[in-house]
Amino acid sequence: SEDSEGAGAAEVDDVINIVWYPNESGNDMKASRDEIGRVITEATGKEVEHQLTTDYAIAIETLINNNADLAFMGAQGYIEAKNGNDAVTPLVVPSGESGTLDDAIYYSWLAVNVDDQDNYKVDGEFSLDTIAGKNFSFVSNSSTSGFVVPSSSILAHFNEQEEYADLVQEDLMEGGPLFEQVLFGGSHQGSAVNLLNGNADVAAFCDTCVENYVDVAEGDVNTVGAVYKVKDDAAEPFNTVTGKEFTLMSVTPVLNAPFAANLDVLGQEDFDTLKALFTSDEVANNEKIFVPEDSGEPGLFFKSADERFVEAEDSWFDPIRELSK
Amino acid sequence: MEAGRTNDLPYIKRTKDGRINIKSGNKIDLVVKWTLIILSILTVMAFFFFNYIGLQWDRAIPETAHNLRVMFLEPALNHFSWGEAFYQVGITVGLGVLATVIGAVIALFLALMAAENLSRPWISKSIRAVVAVIRAVPTVLWVLIFAIAAGLGSEAAVLGMLFHSTAYLVKAFSEAFEEVDAGILEALRATGANWWHVVTHGVLPSTFTYILSWVFLRFEINFGVAVAMGAAAGAGGIGFELFMASGFYFDLREVGFITYAILIIAVVLEIISTQLKNRYFPASTNN
Amino acid sequence: MTLLQVKGLGKSYNSETQVLKNVDFEVNAGEFVSIIGPSGAGKSTLLRCINRMVEINEGKVIFDNADVGSLKKKELRKLRTNIGMVFQHYNLVPRLTVIENVLHGRFGYKTTMQGIMGRFTEEEKEHAFMLLKKLGIEDHAYKRCDQLSGGQQQRVGICRALIQEPKLVLCDEPIASLDPNSSKVIMDHLKSITTDMGITCLVNLHQVEVAQDYSDRIIGLRKGEIVFDGPSKLLHEDQINHIYGTELRELITV
Amino acid sequence: MTLLQVKGLGKSYNSETQVLKNVDFEVNAGEFVSIIGPSGAGKSTLLRCINRMVEINEGKVIFDNADVGSLKKKELRKLRTNIGMVFQHYNLVPRLTVIENVLHGRFGYKTTMQGIMGRFTEEEKEHAFMLLKKLGIEDHAYKRCDQLSGGQQQRVGICRALIQEPKLVLCDEPIASLDPNSSKVIMDHLKSITTDMGITCLVNLHQVEVAQDYSDRIIGLRKGEIVFDGPSKLLHEDQINHIYGTELRELITV
Amino acid sequence: MNEKKMRKSRMQTVVFLLIIIIVTYLSAAITEFNFLDGLATIPKALGWMAGNLLITAETLERLPAIMEKLLETIFMSIAATTIAAILSIFLGLMGSKTTKVNNIFSIFARLIASISRNIPVVAWSLILLISFGQNSVTGFLALFVGTLGFLTRAFIESIDEASQDAVEALQATGATYFQIVNKAVIPQSLPQMLSWILFMIETNIRSATLVGILTGTGIGYTFDLYYKSLNYNAVALVTITIVIAVLIIDSISNRIRRVIL
Ligand SMILES: Nc1ncnc2c1ncn2[C@@H]1O[C@H](COP(=O)(O)OP(=O)(O)OP(=O)(O)O)[C@@H](O)[C@H]1O
Ligand SMILES: Nc1ncnc2c1ncn2[C@@H]1O[C@H](COP(=O)(O)OP(=O)(O)OP(=O)(O)O)[C@@H](O)[C@H]1O
Ligand SMILES: [Mg+2]
Ligand SMILES: [Mg+2]
């Protein structure tokens, strides 16, 4: 899609369209979305329209084709959008606990059910060798932590073996070459549920997307071998698998998802206004946007320490770019 | 009885073993027979060809039964309100109406050009060919193309559905037009009427009821499509809630509720359209 | 006064068979002419050449001093308004009312827009009712045509032709689908069109006796050629046999 | 010998109208009886009560010493094999061949399985051909029924009834859809069934003259009641008027 | 008085048109649809298609894999249709006025038809996906349910329309229910039914794309995968194979239909 820059003349109008990935399109995130919309309207005087989607690709293409001003998208989605349209620029990235880019990361997991964990160990250690021929669940093939990161680490592992030397990323999308069957959960939650209800043997998903639903039962957070247990009062989709446990066989850090803007549509002026707005203390302290972690409320972003939005350059995403090459 | 004598009666056909044949063995029976045989073979083959990966019958069947029971016996709304549900159904119906009405209007004109008795052969042939191809392209693709190119929203959903609707109706309408008695057209032309006169006063009145029933049928189809496509195109509607409820929240009770809502609307639409058709149109003298 | 001249008319639908060959005749204003001939002789084709419902291949048709074959689209419409046509199967729009069907005869005088909107003047409507009354079907004016009997429908067809205020009416087997009673009514009406209104009539007929009874002049067609043309009285047994050939017997049992 | 006894038969489809009221008559083996009466008089209903195609409400029908009204399902099948039926619209399966349609008459003698497999013995098939020959349509045996004319189809219908080897044949307006020629052929065949094969015939007819010509005895039905029952010769003008009431005139023009 | 009647019927037409216009306007309002905006995007969409939906030599390498999936889809549609047809014959016999055994079965059959037809295929796909997982059986079942409803309704009509007379005649010969069904009803309505079956196969291949996306099976899944990885060249190839398959099946069934009807 290199040549889609020409797709329609972009014009700055007085509506700001924000595209949300399916993960963020649920009704329980509505309060957070609306609050973000409200502060944007306040700052720019423009109306905000939220566009909810049912898949990643549409969200990405919408930004590429000048049909949206902003999108909250994974790093991989951002990179694809940038490839498709140079006007796409990162606006801000939610930081880590430190309030800086340094720990603006979350984790991509490969998880297996606790009861089966021994099947995935060689000499008492988890080994990726064991996942060949299993049923595997990814999130979506445009997901950073749910496909790009785990698939590249899997490839890196298997390409060293002669049998799998020619394996490429596409081979992981379908059953046959490496896995018996490949499922896509459509969302991180969906991928996790695929694992817990037995449809998949191994699943890839990320930590933040499921943290509302699970508690650590054993071991340290985000370490290999940690066991997580689904809360007894977990909301859907986990309500059918409450009490089930999974353990992590691999943990990989992933860059946080940015708010990306299409400069052609948004306009430099609003871009600057929004950058100032998002990075302000006012937003960082807005409890509807950064929901206090102990409140138990659902939300898009959570605050346990100094979390806030911080600026990020395009080059910050280079590590992810390297992965999908 | 006198089998020896009846043997050589010219009007009795016999099989090789001397039994009397009672089948005529005509072309129609033959084609029907072979079509059925081939379909059966293909069906049996299909089950060998399927991939059964991850299928656990012993788990799947009781689970489906359980899920269906939860869905239909314990429907509930958890993530949105009644008012919201009503509004979303309205959107889906709206998408269906728009795609059907706009599609029907466009199709009407194209069908006039596609009907062999009202048009030139090359125009009619080319329209038919184009329409056949458009019809063969799955609606999903149209919707996705418009969602990508035109942006998320009802425009993408409606335009995407429009292609298939129009193509489908062009075929149906033009076949109806072609069935108009050639004599009627001839008589009108012989009075000095021009093409538009013939169409508006001869063709349309004669086919009005057919056109309407096709439009109603298409509307029913479009409503079903709008459930799926509204969500994909970002136009919302009850389909988005259905997608969220099932793919995201895995909330069967809500899926059940939404299914009921859709079912009720579909049945109501069906009743309305049959009533309308029966009550008004066979007897009316529209022009 | 000669209203219609057919000169050396030839017509074939495909290269194999010549349907009409070198047909020559003239019709004067006010004549009532019957055309007879076996099935496939080309009677219908001949009528259709006169108002150019089919294209003319050879020869000329001159109607009211206009060369029919060379008319442009607009002139052709004008020509057709001057020629009414009545069909074997009536060819009415069954779902419309009688009065609507009659008014269809006025389309030739309308612009496209007027026609589409169905705008007819009060005079036209009154004229239509007058014609319906004349043919004795005024009571059915608001009925749908498919609720009428064959004979009644044919009368609607005649009204549609007459409201065109034509100089010539072409009738293609107007009574072939009717029972004897209705046939008589229709033939009487057609005859009166010529005698009372002075409109020329050209009628295709299958029934030789009917042709003899009603028309001044008969044209006999056989395999696309005129084999008889003269006053009805002069049509005798042997001419009939010549026209119908050996087909006569079959024809009568039909 | 009395083959059929109808005693005090009453029938209504719904509570409002009594279609048959207290109908009483007997038919002897070998009789050819016509039933006449205006439309809606209950002629079809009467025939259908005899082989219990509709349930009997009151009274009794006794056929061949069996009380038709009280038969169980299996016995009813047995009864029906003994009664052939011929319909106005022939009621053949149009897509099947003539010979197949004729053989359908043998189902009453088959088990479900035999019937489903379409197993017929060679004798049955030969019998079927014999009947076709008797009715003069043996040449069409392998044609599909929808390719036959009405008269030919009715002859297939009669063959289907005859192959049942019935004691009684019920005919519900067998000639109402046929032209006069075919009607004559059919009536002649029906008559010969009784005279040559000795099979009793009960025929619903609309045409009084036909009934008088062919039958020994006529039953006149009016509004569900028998108003005439006697030899054809005794059916005079005033009885006919009584049967058809004021409807006679309409009936004749139909 | 008659003049009035005619006016009334003309009024009815006007009212009818008004209703349609109002309903359309309301629909546009609730869905926030702007016809002119929509129209304006058509050139954009066509431009996008021309720019992106190109088949390159590289994508042709995927053809064998695509063909295999297409074949799976075709098989899935055929199997779903024929199996649904078998069941639909029974439901159709139960539901039809001429052949119904009793009213309860008849209502039951019609109810099944209505429910399975009116619950959108999206809903079925999602329900089945949950328990059957991502394999051909799920796609097969999702197609099967919708087809069952549609065919039952169509078959009820075919049976009703085709066989009343013959059924009566065979009853009068003393034939049993199954003999009647087998020898009168089925032969008579079979060509019409077959025509519906062929129609459904074609329809199912088309809707298998959607079902495939939803259930992760067959050509629809392939389509979805390529599309989600923004590989539009492959999407174009998939689409073209679907179009060709549908056109071929369409023309075969048209030919069969022309002979048998
Ligand atoms: N539209 C047509 N295309 C090709 N051939 C035609 C067409 N119309 C008529 N013909 C042929 O032209 C010949 C003359 O047909 P025409 O209808 O003029 O005969 P006719 O005298 O009116 O016969 P009939 O008494 O049966 O109406 C016939 O052989 C017929 O098959
Ligand atoms: N299946 C039915 N359900 C309800 N009413 C019926 C049914 N069949 C017949 N009837 C009514 O019973 C009355 C007698 O009908 P029947 O068909 O026996 O008359 P008929 O003498 O055969 O008339 P026709 O000469 O028109 O065939 C009529 O009023 C008719 O409407
Ligand atoms: Mg002719
Ligand atoms: Mg009757």
Side-chain angles (χ1 to χ4, degrees):
Chain A
S1 56
E2 248 64 25
D3 47 7
S4 36
E5 283 96 322
E11 250 177 61
V12 180
D13 58 9
D14 45 8
V15 176
I16 292 180
N17 288 306
I18 308 181
V19 180
W20 300 93
Y21 268 15
N23 282 351
E24 283 84 37
S25 289
N27 262 323
D28 44 0
M29 311 277 179
K30 189 171 189 309
S32 298
R33 286 195 306 261
D34 287 348
E35 181 63 15
I36 290 175
R38 194 187 61 77
V39 295
I40 292 177
T41 305
E42 231 174 49
T44 60
K46 291 186 177 178
E47 201 185 318
V48 170
E49 276 183 18
H50 298 285
Q51 296 189 320
L52 311 181
T53 60
T54 54
D55 76 59
Y56 288 69
I58 283 229
I60 296 167
E61 281 291 350
T62 304
L63 196 65
I64 292 179
N65 285 282
N66 299 335
N67 288 317
D69 302 71
L70 288 180
F72 180 60
M73 54 197 344
Q76 174 63 18
Y78 164 71
I79 289 164
E80 282 176 1
K82 180 84 182 171
N83 287 342
N85 188 340
D86 216 29
V88 174
T89 315
L91 179 69
V92 289
V93 174
S95 75
E97 287 185 5
S98 69
T100 65
L101 275 181
D102 299 338
D103 57 352
I105 49 172
Y106 60 113
Y107 295 91
S108 166
W109 292 343
L110 290 188
V112 296
N113 283 312
V114 167
D115 296 343
D116 304 333
Q117 60 176 316
D118 292 337
N119 300 343
Y120 302 92
K121 287 181 178 166
V122 176
D123 304 332
E125 294 271 319
F126 281 110
S127 163
L128 285 182
D129 285 337
T130 55
I131 64 175
K134 293 284 194 278
N135 289 345
F136 197 96
S137 173
F138 288 114
V139 174
S140 159
N141 47 14
S142 310
S143 163
T144 317
S145 55
F147 181 72
V148 180
V149 171
S151 65
S152 39
S153 56
I154 291 169
L155 281 180
H157 179 84
F158 281 98
N159 281 345
E160 286 173 7
Q161 302 174 17
E162 208 171 308
E163 188 188 347
Y164 297 113
D166 297 333
L167 219 56
V168 294
Q169 213 158 32
E170 257 175 18
D171 293 329
L172 300 191
M173 294 184 196
E174 286 177 274
L178 179 62
F179 300 118
E180 168 81 0
Q181 188 188 20
V182 177
L183 307 174
F184 285 96
S187 63
H188 290 269
Q189 292 89 333
S191 183
V193 172
N194 271 342
L195 171 74
L196 293 168
N197 70 12
N199 280 341
D201 302 321
V202 188
F205 50 95
C206 79
D207 63 336
T208 50
C209 312
V210 297
E211 67 187 9
N212 282 354
Y213 310 91
V214 296
D215 288 322
V216 186
E218 254 178 61
D220 288 334
V221 180
N222 282 324
T223 55
V224 171
V227 174
Y228 287 80
K229 182 174 180 179
V230 179
K231 292 180 187 168
D232 287 334
D233 58 348
E236 295 91 352
F238 286 84
N239 59 334
T240 53
V241 289
T242 50
K244 296 222 170 150
E245 295 179 324
F246 61 86
T247 182
L248 308 184
M249 70 179 295
S250 149
V251 175
T252 316
V254 185
L255 297 178
N256 269 359
F259 271 98
N262 183 326
L263 273 183
D264 287 348
V265 188
L266 184 63
Q268 190 65 46
E269 188 187 332
D270 283 331
F271 181 82
D272 296 338
T273 316
L274 288 184
K275 187 165 261 185
L277 169 74
F278 273 81
T279 51
S280 68
D281 289 345
E282 193 188 338
V283 166
N285 295 327
N286 187 328
E287 294 201 347
K288 284 184 183 161
I289 297 176
F290 282 95
V291 179
E293 195 152 61
D294 45 20
S295 73
E297 294 289 315
L300 285 169
F301 309 103
F302 294 95
K303 193 156 198 124
S304 55
D306 285 329
E307 284 91 344
R308 60 187 298 125
F309 289 120
V310 289
E311 271 184 63
E313 293 298 318
D314 177 57
S315 55
W316 188 67
F317 297 95
D318 287 345
I320 302 281
R321 257 190 205 112
E322 288 304 314
L323 287 181
S324 50
K325 266 189 183 147
Chain B
M1 39 194 225
E2 314 110 311
R5 203 149 52 81
T6 49
N7 232 345
D8 36 58
L9 288 177
Y11 48 81
I12 299 183
K13 290 185 195 163
R14 285 178 186 272
T15 55
K16 283 188 200 110
D17 54 0
R19 296 168 60 86
I20 296 177
N21 204 346
I22 59 171
K23 288 278 176 193
S24 66
N26 64 21
K27 197 174 163 196
I28 298 175
D29 291 346
L30 219 65
V31 171
V32 169
K33 196 170 100 189
W34 277 105
T35 313
L36 289 179
I37 291 175
I38 290 171
L39 284 180
S40 318
I41 293 173
L42 288 176
T43 304
V44 173
M45 274 171 67
F47 286 97
F48 289 103
F49 206 83
F50 281 1
N51 86 61
Y52 294 96
I53 299 163
L55 179 65
Q56 297 160 277
W57 289 102
D58 54 328
R59 187 171 68 86
I61 291 173
E63 199 175 310
T64 310
H66 173 256
N67 288 346
L68 286 175
R69 202 168 54 237
V70 172
M71 266 178 61
F72 287 112
L73 299 183
E74 306 165 17
L77 275 184
N78 299 320
H79 298 95
F80 56 104
S81 66
W82 271 87
E84 184 87 355
F86 191 71
Y87 174 71
Q88 298 293 353
V89 171
I91 288 182
T92 305
V93 173
L95 294 175
V97 168
L98 288 171
T100 313
V101 171
I102 300 173
V105 172
I106 300 173
L108 200 61
F109 289 97
L110 288 179
L112 288 171
M113 292 195 270
E116 270 163 7
N117 53 349
L118 297 173
S119 172
R120 287 170 215 285
W122 68 269
I123 297 182
S124 132
K125 284 216 182 75
S126 14
I127 291 185
R128 268 154 198 262
V130 171
V131 155
V133 172
I134 291 182
R135 231 166 351 110
V137 177
T139 309
V140 205
L141 181 75
W142 292 119
V143 172
L144 294 178
I145 288 172
F146 278 96
I148 290 170
L152 296 169
S154 57
E155 283 85 9
V158 171
L159 288 170
M161 288 160 67
L162 199 57
F163 274 82
H164 203 269
S165 281
T166 309
Y168 178 96
L169 289 177
V170 167
K171 181 171 190 252
F173 287 178
S174 62
E175 276 167 11
F177 292 158
E178 279 165 9
E179 268 163 33
V180 174
D181 185 356
I184 293 177
L185 306 183
E186 189 185 21
L188 287 177
R189 283 189 193 126
T191 66
N194 69 19
W195 189 85
W196 282 106
H197 299 156
V198 174
V199 166
T200 49
H201 291 266
V203 176
L204 293 185
S206 304
T207 51
F208 192 69
T209 43
Y210 288 102
I211 290 179
L212 267 176
S213 34
W214 280 115
V215 171
F216 281 126
L217 178 66
R218 187 64 220 185
F219 178 53
E220 277 177 34
I221 299 174
N222 277 350
F223 175 69
V225 177
V227 171
M229 290 298 114
I238 197 72
F240 182 77
E241 305 298 341
L242 182 61
F243 173 85
M244 278 304 187
S246 63
F248 193 73
Y249 299 120
F250 289 81
D251 182 349
L252 287 172
R253 290 180 182 82
E254 196 159 280
V255 171
F257 185 91
I258 295 168
T259 308
Y260 272 121
I262 294 172
L263 193 61
I264 289 168
I265 293 289
V267 171
V268 167
L269 290 177
E270 197 177 327
I271 292 173
I272 291 177
S273 69
T274 13
Q275 289 290 321
L276 269 182
K277 269 187 292 190
N278 292 348
R279 178 110 35 104
Y280 293 107
F281 299 110
S284 74
T285 53
N286 292 284
N287 56 333
Chain C
M1 197 202 83
T2 313
L3 181 68
L4 174 72
Q5 273 183 292
V6 176
K7 291 193 204 162
L9 179 64
K11 168 75 193 166
S12 56
Y13 290 102
N14 47 41
S15 50
E16 290 149 44
T17 46
Q18 185 83 0
V19 177
L20 292 177
K21 289 168 225 160
N22 197 23
V23 172
D24 264 309
F25 66 96
E26 291 189 4
V27 178
N28 289 329
E31 268 191 301
F32 189 101
V33 182
S34 294
I35 303 174
I36 60 172
S39 199
K43 304 185 294 296
S44 303
T45 305
L46 176 55
L47 286 200
R48 279 168 178 67
C49 283
I50 292 172
N51 62 355
R52 225 174 95 194
M53 296 297 289
V54 300
E55 287 302 321
I56 296 165
N57 292 148
E58 293 161 30
K60 276 195 173 167
V61 173
I62 296 179
F63 174 79
D64 208 16
N65 300 323
D67 177 2
V68 173
S70 66
L71 294 180
K72 304 253 172 52
K73 213 169 161 186
K74 229 173 188 165
E75 298 160 333
L76 184 62
R77 273 187 71 199
K78 185 94 205 70
L79 168 92
R80 286 182 182 166
T81 59
N82 282 322
I83 303 180
M85 198 157 186
V86 173
F87 301 85
Q88 173 178 353
H89 296 292
Y90 335 126
N91 295 4
L92 306 172
V93 183
R95 289 179 172 277
L96 297 186
T97 56
V98 165
I99 184 77
E100 283 173 298
N101 266 290
V102 173
L103 287 168
H104 286 175
R106 297 301 295 176
F107 281 147
Y109 295 95
K110 304 270 156 190
T111 63
T112 299
M113 219 41 217
Q114 285 173 328
I116 290 179
M117 302 304 295
R119 286 262 160 277
F120 296 101
T121 63
E122 292 304 299
E123 288 78 46
E124 284 171 327
K125 291 184 203 164
E126 274 166 26
H127 188 188
F129 272 100
M130 198 204 75
L131 289 171
L132 288 175
K133 180 144 177 61
K134 192 168 204 151
L135 280 105
I137 44 171
E138 72 276 17
D139 289 342
H140 305 297
Y142 294 104
K143 278 197 187 149
R144 277 170 51 151
C145 283
D146 48 10
Q147 292 165 357
L148 302 186
S149 71
Q152 290 167 332
Q153 290 196 43
Q154 192 58 294
R155 283 185 266 171
V156 178
I158 294 174
C159 286
R160 180 176 59 189
L162 292 181
I163 205 169
Q164 294 179 230
E165 297 176 330
K167 296 182 176 151
L168 171 68
V169 173
L170 306 172
C171 307
D172 195 1
E173 298 182 15
I175 57 169
S177 305
L178 299 178
D179 59 280
N181 269 339
S182 309
S183 297
K184 187 171 169 347
V185 173
I186 295 297
M187 287 310 295
D188 287 342
H189 278 302
L190 288 178
K191 182 79 192 175
S192 79
I193 290 171
T194 307
T195 50
D196 301 354
M197 308 169 79
I199 298 173
T200 316
C201 270
L202 212 56
V203 186
N204 277 357
L205 284 171
H206 255 304
Q207 301 92 324
V208 182
E209 303 78 25
V210 177
Q212 287 173 316
D213 280 1
Y214 282 89
S215 46
D216 319 317
R217 178 177 151 204
I218 290 179
I219 294 177
L221 215 56
R222 184 195 158 117
K223 294 189 181 162
E225 286 172 298
I226 293 188
V227 294
F228 176 87
D229 184 353
S232 312
K233 298 162 217 149
L234 296 185
L235 183 73
H236 294 304
E237 185 74 32
D238 45 342
Q239 272 106 349
I240 297 176
N241 279 344
H242 181 47
I243 296 172
Y244 288 98
T246 51
E247 288 149 273
L248 180 57
R249 211 164 296 137
E250 286 167 44
L251 189 82
I252 283 171
T253 63
V254 166
Chain D
M1 196 203 83
T2 312
L3 180 69
L4 173 73
Q5 272 181 292
V6 176
K7 292 192 204 163
L9 178 65
K11 168 74 193 167
S12 57
Y13 290 102
N14 48 41
S15 49
E16 290 148 43
T17 45
Q18 185 82 1
V19 176
L20 292 177
K21 290 168 223 160
N22 197 24
V23 172
D24 265 309
F25 65 96
E26 290 189 5
V27 178
N28 289 330
E31 268 191 299
F32 188 103
V33 183
S34 295
I35 303 175
I36 60 171
S39 197
K43 304 183 296 295
S44 303
T45 306
L46 176 56
L47 286 200
R48 279 171 174 67
C49 283
I50 292 172
N51 61 355
R52 226 175 92 194
M53 297 292 289
V54 300
E55 287 302 321
I56 296 165
N57 292 147
E58 294 162 28
K60 276 194 174 168
V61 173
I62 296 178
F63 175 79
D64 209 17
N65 300 323
D67 177 3
V68 173
S70 68
L71 294 180
K72 303 253 173 53
K73 213 168 160 187
K74 230 175 186 160
E75 299 160 332
L76 184 62
R77 273 188 69 200
K78 186 92 204 74
L79 169 91
R80 286 183 182 164
T81 58
N82 282 322
I83 304 180
M85 198 158 187
V86 173
F87 301 84
Q88 172 179 351
H89 296 293
Y90 335 127
N91 295 14
L92 306 172
V93 184
R95 287 185 174 273
L96 296 185
T97 57
V98 166
I99 184 77
E100 281 176 291
N101 267 291
V102 173
L103 286 167
H104 285 173
R106 296 301 295 178
F107 281 148
Y109 295 95
K110 305 267 157 188
T111 63
T112 296
M113 221 36 219
Q114 287 172 325
I116 287 181
M117 303 304 295
R119 288 262 163 274
F120 297 102
T121 63
E122 291 305 296
E123 287 78 45
E124 284 172 326
K125 294 181 201 167
E126 274 167 23
H127 187 187
F129 272 101
M130 197 203 75
L131 288 171
L132 286 177
K133 175 136 180 67
K134 193 169 205 148
L135 280 106
I137 43 170
E138 72 277 14
D139 288 340
H140 305 298
Y142 293 103
K143 279 199 188 147
R144 279 170 49 149
C145 283
D146 47 10
Q147 292 165 357
L148 302 186
S149 72
Q152 290 166 333
Q153 290 196 44
Q154 192 58 292
R155 283 185 265 171
V156 178
I158 295 173
C159 286
R160 179 176 61 190
L162 291 181
I163 206 168
Q164 293 180 230
E165 297 174 332
K167 295 182 178 152
L168 171 67
V169 173
L170 305 173
C171 307
D172 194 2
E173 299 183 14
I175 57 169
S177 307
L178 299 178
D179 60 279
N181 270 339
S182 309
S183 296
K184 188 171 170 346
V185 174
I186 295 298
M187 287 309 295
D188 287 342
H189 279 301
L190 288 179
K191 182 81 192 175
S192 79
I193 290 172
T194 307
T195 50
D196 301 355
M197 307 168 80
I199 299 174
T200 317
C201 269
L202 212 56
V203 186
N204 277 357
L205 283 173
H206 254 304
Q207 300 91 324
V208 182
E209 305 77 24
V210 178
Q212 287 172 315
D213 280 2
Y214 282 89
S215 45
D216 318 319
R217 178 178 150 202
I218 290 179
I219 295 178
L221 214 55
R222 184 195 157 116
K223 293 189 181 162
E225 286 172 298
I226 292 188
V227 292
F228 177 87
D229 184 352
S232 311
K233 296 162 219 151
L234 296 186
L235 184 74
H236 295 305
E237 186 75 30
D238 46 343
Q239 274 105 347
I240 298 177
N241 279 345
H242 182 45
I243 295 173
Y244 287 99
T246 51
E247 287 149 274
L248 179 59
R249 212 164 296 137
E250 285 167 46
L251 188 84
I252 283 170
T253 64
V254 167
Chain E
M1 188 204 120
N2 266 322
E3 174 83 1
K4 248 191 222 154
K5 209 166 127 195
M6 205 164 133
R7 283 251 169 77
K8 199 178 142 212
S9 92
R10 196 164 285 199
M11 269 303 286
Q12 248 176 26
T13 317
V14 173
V15 168
F16 180 71
L17 282 178
L18 269 179
I19 290 177
I20 289 193
I21 290 171
I22 291 171
V23 168
T24 311
Y25 179 79
L26 287 179
S27 304
I30 193 173
T31 57
E32 295 168 14
F33 176 78
N34 184 324
F35 187 61
L36 293 178
D37 279 2
L39 219 56
T41 61
I42 289 184
K44 208 170 155 186
L46 294 179
W48 187 89
M49 282 168 75
N52 289 287
L53 295 180
L54 298 171
I55 296 171
T56 58
E58 188 198 341
T59 45
L60 280 177
E61 283 169 20
R62 300 172 199 273
L63 196 58
I66 292 175
M67 290 309 287
E68 191 188 323
K69 287 290 185 184
L70 182 66
L71 212 60
E72 183 190 345
T73 298
I74 293 175
F75 272 128
M76 216 157 76
S77 312
I78 292 178
T81 313
T82 35
I83 305 236
I86 294 170
L87 218 72
S88 292
I89 287 185
F90 288 104
L91 289 174
L93 288 171
M94 281 203 277
S96 157
K97 279 195 282 294
T98 28
T99 54
K100 69 178 173 195
V101 188
N102 62 39
N103 282 331
I104 296 171
F105 278 1
S106 163
I107 290 170
F108 172 76
R110 283 163 190 268
L111 196 72
I112 297 253
S114 179
I115 289 180
S116 59
R117 200 163 46 89
N118 283 324
I119 293 182
V121 68
V122 195
W124 285 122
S125 306
L126 296 169
I127 297 161
L128 293 164
L129 181 62
I130 296 174
S131 1
F132 280 84
Q134 195 176 325
N135 54 50
S136 307
V137 176
T138 311
F140 163 82
L141 287 174
L143 290 176
F144 169 85
V145 203
T147 313
L148 182 72
F150 187 90
L151 283 183
T152 303
R153 189 170 86 157
F155 285 4
I156 288 179
E157 273 168 26
S158 310
I159 293 172
D160 271 351
E161 159 182 312
S163 43
Q164 176 68 64
D165 285 358
V167 167
E168 191 184 16
L170 287 203
Q171 267 169 1
T173 67
T176 62
Y177 179 79
F178 286 106
Q179 288 169 346
I180 294 172
V181 165
N182 199 43
K183 288 296 164 176
V185 178
I186 300 289
Q188 187 54 18
S189 31
L190 194 59
Q192 189 64 50
M193 289 178 176
L194 195 56
S195 159
W196 281 118
I197 292 174
L198 294 171
F199 171 79
M200 254 349 254
I201 289 178
E202 186 208 320
T203 310
N204 274 345
I205 290 180
R206 247 195 311 255
S207 39
T209 320
L210 177 60
V211 171
I213 292 177
L214 296 167
T215 62
T217 50
I219 191 83
Y221 184 54
T222 314
F223 179 93
D224 202 35
L225 269 186
Y226 289 138
Y227 151 74
K228 284 203 171 132
S229 33
L230 313 187
N231 184 349
Y232 296 116
N233 303 327
V235 167
L237 185 64
V238 171
T239 308
I240 288 196
T241 56
I242 297 175
V243 168
I244 292 174
V246 169
L247 289 179
I248 289 175
I249 289 177
D250 195 25
S251 78
I252 293 177
S253 51
N254 274 340
R255 247 171 237 186
I256 294 178
R257 219 170 270 140
R258 221 170 292 144
V259 175
I260 62 177
L261 287 184

